[in-house]
Structure formats: C-alpha cells, structure tokens
Amino acid sequence: MARRGQPRRRRRGPERAWAEPPVAVRGGRTVDSGGTVRGGSAVRGGRAGRRPGAGRLSRVPRAVLVVLGCLPGLAAVSGLLLCAVGVDRVVAGSARPVAARPASVHQAARPPVVPRSGWLGDGARHGRPPPARYDDRVVAVFVHHTDSPNGYDCADVPRIIDHLYAGQTGPRDWDDIGYNFLVDRCGTIYEGRAGGVERPVTGAHTQGFNHRTAGIAAIGSFTEGVPVPREMTDAIAALAAWKLGLSDIDPRSRVRLVSSNDRSRYAAGTEALLPALAGHSDGYMTSCPGAALAARLPEIRETAARLQGRL
C-alpha cells in the first residue's frame, strides 16, 4: 500500500515485478542465464509432479502468485469478456536491450501491425506504461481468444481493445495489457503490450510460460461450432511465422519450455515439450482459445511453415 501522499505503484499483471531469467536448453539439460546446468526432463502431458532438484529454477522470495480464469463478465468494461492470462516474476534489470541475433534462414516477412497509438490515441488518458521487460528471443507463440462478442464492426476494434486494456489495468490493477498482439476478424493485427513489436517482450498471457513466448489474442469468442474467419487465421499464421522465424523456429515443431508457476498446467521448474505454435490450453488449465479456434491450429501451423519457406 502506498504511503499517504505518494502515488500507488501499478502491478505488472497479477504479480509484482520479479521472475527467473530466461532459460535455454542444451543437450536435454536446462541452462540458466548464469551458465548453471540444471537437471530436468521433458514432460509431454498433464500436470507434472516435482522431484527434489529436478528441473528446478531458483525461486525469488516474496513473489505473489495469482491465477486467473475465464470470467463470466466485466461490468466495468461494457460487458466485454476477457480470457485467463497471467504473468510471472521478472528479474530486476531484465529490461536491458538484448543483443541482435543472426538473421534466420527461414525468416518470414513481417505483416502489417497497427501500433499501440492506433487504439490508445495520444495515451494521455492511460498514462505512460512502465519500462518493458524482455527475454532473449521468442521460441513459441500462444494463441488465445478474448472471449468477447463476435458481432463487432472492425472499425470499432480500437475501442474494443481499449476496453480490454481498461479491464486489465483498471479493476485488475495491471500495468499494461497482457497480450503481445491482438487480431480482429478482418485480419488486422494490433500491437498489444508495450515494448516494440520486433523485440521479445515478456507478456502476461499464459501463466507459467510467459518467458520466451508471445501471446496472440483473437478478438472474439470461438467455442465449439463458432465460425473462425479465414482472414483471422491467415493473419495469425503470418504473425506467428514472422515472430518464430526471427529465431528460426518451425511452427510445426515442439519446443522445450520451463514452467515458472505451480498454477500452470505444469509444476514450477518442470521442463515441458510444447507446440511452438500452441493454444493457451497447452500451457494452462483453460478452454481458451475455444474449441473452434483450437481445431484450426494445425492448419495455421502449416500456413505459417509455408510462409517461412519450409514447404
């Protein structure tokens, strides 16, 4: 709680700002940013149990863990619904720029992206976001839906994103919107979380797996039987192909990620083998991104691979 007369500090999502550093995997072993080799084996499904010393990451004291589920509604944001997201602890100083990586062999073209100013306006009403946090690279993307109404006019999307932003930074007291990108039913891609679309910004979209990943939210609700516009899936594929191509990651492959949160689908410290182009439910216990959109993920992976020149 802020002292009397001092401004209240915003939270970076449902936790305050601490987390383990990005993790690399070499030869089946986990290597932290300090070069320490740690044990751990891949887990392919379900919630993994923990063994002493297996795949553990060092914990930072006093972190506050909050888990969110898909909510029935948010009266404060004109009835729009928001699917479960979450952030992890962030190491102080991790906002330092990351050295440029060599050009990828399978780097896809960058699709057009509407900047934050396209839905924030001059930003004066929302204030200035805190410094962004970064990982070393993006090796996976998680696809979400916003669980909000589908019958919108695409001209109204900036207002819709602004409402979603208000729902996270207002009642939830987050410091920014959690998704890195949002895509509307007309195929327009919008920048979400601040920090730069070309950089590996640490998001707040998949609790336990926010590091080294990007969150792409489809604006709408795509439960069983709901049509998913082709323009939307093509835009998601183009965006995923570009972001994964920067690290030369095949969208059809599986990658090793280490869970940083016990409330994800995997216990904290567990190394999980997940799709490089995954649905939210692959890493978190949720129905997001909806059965209809989840069923389109194989097709989206193939399209993204083709855009990278892999077919």
Side-chain angles (χ1 to χ4, degrees):
M1 183 176 297
R3 295 179 180 177
R4 188 180 301 274
Q6 294 182 343
R8 180 165 57 91
R9 295 183 62 187
R10 289 279 189 179
R11 294 184 296 168
R12 307 192 69 80
E15 302 174 11
R16 286 180 168 81
W18 292 285
E20 53 275 287
V23 176
V25 176
R26 301 175 188 165
R29 295 178 299 174
T30 305
V31 184
D32 66 23
S33 61
T36 303
V37 178
R38 303 181 185 276
S41 57
V43 179
R44 292 179 178 269
R47 182 178 178 83
R50 289 176 285 170
R51 296 175 297 149
R56 294 274 185 185
L57 295 177
S58 58
R59 293 177 180 265
V60 180
R62 297 183 299 174
V64 181
L65 303 177
V66 178
V67 64
L68 301 175
C70 288
L71 301 180
L74 289 173
V77 290
S78 303
L80 288 173
L81 304 179
L82 181 64
C83 197
V85 293
V87 302
D88 308 309
R89 297 163 293 168
V90 180
V91 170
S94 63
R96 290 193 298 270
V98 177
R101 302 181 63 85
S104 163
V105 175
H106 296 96
Q107 187 167 338
R110 171 183 161 173
V113 179
V114 178
R116 283 169 61 90
S117 59
W119 55 269
L120 271 178
D122 60 10
R125 180 163 60 89
H126 300 295
R128 185 175 181 178
R133 306 286 175 164
Y134 299 96
D135 292 301
D136 60 334
R137 59 179 178 145
V138 169
V139 300
V141 298
F142 283 95
V143 177
H144 305 253
H145 69 170
T146 57
D147 204 14
S148 52
N150 293 332
Y152 56 85
D153 189 313
C154 290
D156 291 333
V157 168
R159 178 184 58 81
I160 293 171
I161 298 175
D162 189 39
H163 279 306
L164 293 171
Y165 173 94
Q168 294 185 0
T169 61
R172 298 172 185 270
D173 199 27
W174 293 15
D175 62 0
D176 199 358
I177 193 167
Y179 309 116
N180 297 100
F181 300 93
L182 299 97
V183 180
D184 70 16
R185 65 187 186 89
C186 295
T188 303
I189 302 169
Y190 290 83
E191 176 185 12
R193 198 167 184 85
V197 296
E198 298 198 19
R199 302 186 64 185
V201 177
T202 305
H205 49 84
T206 306
Q207 195 148 338
F209 295 103
N210 286 312
H211 291 291
R212 310 187 91 196
T213 68
I216 303 173
I219 299 174
S221 180
F222 299 101
T223 53
E224 185 71 40
V226 174
V228 184
R230 180 61 179 267
E231 294 83 356
M232 174 177 277
T233 58
D234 283 350
I236 293 172
L239 180 56
W242 170 59
K243 288 300 287 185
L244 293 175
L246 295 174
S247 299
D248 205 12
I249 300 294
D250 188 331
R252 303 164 299 179
S253 68
R254 300 176 80 85
V255 296
R256 298 180 188 276
L257 296 170
V258 177
S259 173
S260 60
N261 196 307
D262 278 328
R263 295 181 178 180
S264 77
R265 190 174 286 280
Y266 299 85
T270 301
E271 185 181 279
L273 189 63
L274 299 174
L277 202 166
H280 187 183
S281 58
D282 287 310
Y284 187 81
M285 287 76 74
T286 177
S287 61
C288 183
L293 182 52
R296 300 289 296 276
L297 290 179
E299 171 193 333
I300 293 172
R301 293 183 188 111
E302 291 295 328
T303 301
R306 187 179 75 258
L307 291 172
Q308 288 185 349
R310 295 182 185 272
L311 300 180

